[in-house]
């Protein structure tokens, strides 16, 4: 990794932490550090599953427990067992906690204004645009790709959402029973694999690849949740599945798609796929693609 890039990231981190005041124990002039303030904001207006809250913030359970105990002792939150499963803890803001959160929101607005106020109009626009880009890229860097069983709940969640989107977008609708859906066994090692993308622990995309011993590798069921688009996940899926297929000895990667998925078609062209004659009788396909692939250079003999 480029040393100059590493140094720029570190310089950026130092500037931001100093400018927004996270180095102080009394964040925004209140009697608590930023960790507690952020937890109050994240809990919001609804009861929250403590485990999901921890995953959302990327914090370990011990640290979250300490933050919650402090907030609870100040009367800002109430931590209780879930009414349907006492093994699950939930947390909600008390009336005092909602008032504190509202005050923190007001002071956060003031802090944001203080960052923009010294700048002229053009500088403000540049800063806000740069912040939006940094936010998008940092969010993208937090997404994980995990190999899961095709019957895993997160995999099923993604596939059902994918099928629902196809039903809306295809001119003919979409019936999974008519499509050439791979058998779950075709997406399990060694015959294949299935990836799920997770953002803050929540599934936001999926993609599978068939790895038959007597035919080219074939990408199936690639989908990205609309709220996670523009994070580069589709290209990341393609890169990962291509590498996995090459490591399994495949030199050709295939996929098919519907004519209405124009963004996907553009992506495949830009990723080096070329259109070829139909290699299957998928009723919903109008375009078939193929790409010659090789194993990463570090893995070649």
């Amino acid at each position: 990794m480029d040393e100059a890039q590493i140094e720029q990231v570190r310089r950026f981190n130092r500037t931001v932490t100093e400018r927004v005041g996270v180095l102080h124990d009394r964040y925004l002039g209140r009697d608590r550090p930023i960790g507690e303030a952020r937890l109050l904001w994240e809990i919001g207006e609804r009861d929250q599953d403590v485990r999901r809250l921890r995953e959302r913030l990327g914090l370990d359970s011990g640290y979250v427990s300490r933050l919650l105990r402090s907030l609870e002792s100040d009367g800002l939150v109430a931590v209780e067992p879930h009414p349907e499963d006492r093994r699950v803890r939930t947390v909600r803001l008390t009336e005092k906690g909602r008032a504190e959160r509202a005050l923190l929101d007001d002071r956060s607005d003031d802090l944001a204004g203080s960052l923009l106020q010294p700048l002229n109009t053009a500088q403000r626009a540049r800063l806000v645009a740069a912040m939006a880009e940094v936010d998008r890229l940092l969010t993208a860097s937090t997404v994980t790709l995990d190999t899961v069983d095709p019957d895993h709940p997160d995999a099923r969640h993604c596939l059902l959402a994918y099928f629902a989107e196809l039903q809306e977008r295809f001119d003919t609708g979409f019936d999974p029973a008519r499509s050439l859906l791979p058998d779950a066994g075709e997406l399990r090692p060694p015959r294949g694999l299935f990836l799920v993308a997770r953002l803050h622990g929540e599934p936001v995309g999926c993609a599978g690849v068939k790895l038959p011993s007597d035919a080219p590798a074939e990408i199936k069921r690639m989908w990205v949740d609309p709220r996670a688009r523009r994070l580069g996940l589709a290209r990341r899926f393609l890169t990962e599945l291509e590498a996995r297929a090459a490591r399994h000895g495949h030199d050709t990667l295939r996929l098919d798609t519907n004519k209405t998925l124009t963004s996907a078609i553009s992506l495949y062209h830009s990723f080096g796929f070329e259109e070829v004659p139909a290699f299957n009788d998928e009723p919903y396909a109008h375009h078939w693609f193929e790409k010659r692939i090789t194993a990463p250079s570090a893995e070649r003999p």
Side-chain angles (χ1 to χ4, degrees):
M1 202 169 297
D2 189 283
E3 290 186 6
Q5 291 179 331
I6 294 293
E7 177 54 32
Q8 179 58 58
V9 170
R10 294 186 60 188
R11 185 181 303 115
F12 175 83
N13 290 343
R14 291 193 296 269
T15 300
V16 170
T17 53
E18 177 184 356
R19 190 67 180 87
V20 303
V22 300
L23 302 179
H24 304 289
D25 289 336
R26 296 167 58 88
Y27 181 63
L28 296 176
R30 304 302 290 159
D31 293 331
R32 57 189 49 84
I34 190 173
E36 293 183 12
R38 178 59 191 274
L39 201 56
L40 280 175
W41 188 87
E42 203 68 42
I43 293 169
E45 296 300 322
R46 297 184 301 170
D47 291 10
Q48 297 283 347
D49 180 323
V50 172
R51 180 178 62 84
R52 289 292 188 185
L53 194 62
R54 186 176 71 242
E55 291 176 349
R56 171 74 181 85
L57 294 174
L59 302 174
D60 68 73
S61 59
Y63 182 56
V64 171
S65 293
R66 291 193 296 275
L67 292 178
L68 289 176
R69 282 197 299 270
S70 178
L71 294 173
E72 197 170 22
S73 68
D74 288 341
L76 301 176
V77 303
V79 181
E80 302 163 335
H82 193 282
E84 297 178 2
D85 186 348
R86 299 188 66 82
R87 295 171 300 176
V88 176
R89 292 191 306 155
T90 63
V91 58
R92 61 178 173 81
L93 297 181
T94 63
E95 184 175 347
K96 182 178 178 182
R98 288 192 293 273
E100 179 68 13
R101 186 179 186 273
L103 179 59
L104 287 170
D105 272 341
D106 289 340
R107 295 199 176 187
S108 292
D109 287 346
D110 291 341
L111 174 60
S114 74
L115 298 177
L116 297 171
Q117 195 278 330
L119 306 177
N120 62 41
T121 301
Q123 289 175 320
R124 291 176 188 175
R126 287 170 53 200
L127 178 59
V128 171
M131 285 177 167
E133 180 70 358
V134 168
D135 178 60
R136 184 181 69 83
L137 293 174
L138 287 179
T139 299
S141 74
T142 67
V143 176
T144 62
L145 296 188
D146 305 307
T147 303
V148 303
D149 188 274
D151 287 330
H152 187 282
D154 285 352
R156 292 200 301 270
H157 166 85
C158 289
L159 289 173
L160 289 174
Y162 175 52
F163 298 156
E165 181 173 344
L166 297 187
Q167 169 65 24
E168 292 183 0
R169 297 186 64 179
F170 286 3
D171 297 337
T172 59
F174 180 77
D175 179 2
R178 291 188 60 226
S179 181
L180 296 181
L181 287 169
D183 178 84
E186 294 180 279
L187 298 178
R188 292 189 182 111
R191 298 172 60 194
L193 61 92
F194 198 79
L195 299 176
V196 165
R198 293 186 174 104
L199 175 60
H200 305 307
E202 299 291 335
V204 293
C206 65
V209 62
K210 295 166 60 176
L211 300 169
S213 59
D214 57 352
E218 185 176 351
I219 291 176
K220 304 296 294 184
R221 305 314 176 210
M222 189 171 77
W223 172 79
V224 176
D225 191 307
R227 61 196 169 101
R229 289 172 189 173
R230 295 192 68 252
L231 298 181
L233 286 185
R235 186 171 291 274
R236 189 172 166 191
F237 273 133
L238 290 176
T239 300
E240 182 66 20
L241 293 179
E242 178 180 324
R244 299 283 191 103
R247 285 201 293 269
H248 280 79
H250 289 271
D251 60 8
T252 302
L253 188 60
R254 288 176 169 175
L255 56 85
D256 60 67
T257 194
N258 186 276
K259 64 182 180 181
T260 64
L261 304 179
T262 54
S263 295
I265 292 170
S266 296
L267 170 66
Y268 302 145
H269 281 299
S270 71
F271 203 76
F273 282 90
E274 297 182 353
E275 291 207 46
V276 296
F279 51 77
N280 61 27
D281 56 356
E282 168 59 59
Y284 294 106
H286 301 99
H287 301 272
W288 288 260
F289 289 91
E290 193 170 278
K291 180 181 181 180
R292 299 289 293 179
I293 61 175
T294 57
S297 57
E299 296 183 16
R300 294 176 193 156

